[in-house]
């Protein structure tokens, strides 16, 4: 019985995504972005947050830059974000091109 209630309550909770965007910059060429989305089921905030933290640590340890990592609730609301490298400058270059 409790399992059914838990399923019912989880059906109203939002789903979560972790978006990892890696920017590739070569002088003289336009900036390219490679975005990867890792999706989690409804109500799995703890798993998504754990994945977000592990991805941030791994990126910081391997010195891969520039990278932007976002923890997204639902479709658009960003809960947490981390930037490694000059992400803001590359976004502006990408918008102006």
């Amino acid at each position: 019985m409790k399992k059914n209630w838990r399923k019912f309550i989880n059906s109203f909770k939002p789903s979560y995504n972790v978006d990892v965007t890696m920017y590739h910059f070569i002088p003289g060429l336009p900036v390219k972005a490679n975005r990867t989305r890792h999706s989690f089921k409804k109500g799995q905030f703890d798993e998504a947050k754990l994945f977000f933290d592990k991805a941030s640590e791994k990126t910081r340890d391997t010195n891969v830059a520039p990278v932007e990592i976002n923890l997204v609730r639902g479709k658009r609301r960003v809960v947490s974000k981390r930037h490694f490298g000059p992400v803001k400058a590359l976004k502006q270059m990408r918008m102006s091109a």
Side-chain angles (χ1 to χ4, degrees), residues 21-82:
T21 307
M22 297 178 69
Y23 294 95
H24 303 283
F25 175 71
I26 300 172
L29 294 176
V31 177
K32 293 183 182 178
N34 183 14
R35 185 174 135 203
T36 306
R37 173 171 275 190
H38 301 275
S39 300
F40 295 89
K41 294 181 181 178
K42 291 186 173 202
Q44 289 188 335
F45 174 75
D46 296 332
E47 291 86 357
K49 181 67 173 164
L50 182 66
F51 184 83
F52 174 79
D53 292 336
K54 284 184 179 180
S56 298
E57 288 178 29
K58 189 77 164 179
T59 302
R60 184 178 43 225
D61 292 344
T62 57
N63 293 326
V64 177
V67 176
E68 177 182 23
I69 303 174
N70 294 328
L71 176 59
V72 181
R73 179 172 67 200
K75 293 185 179 182
R76 291 183 275 169
R77 183 159 184 204
V78 176
V79 178
S80 298
K81 65 170 83 171
R82 293 197 180 140

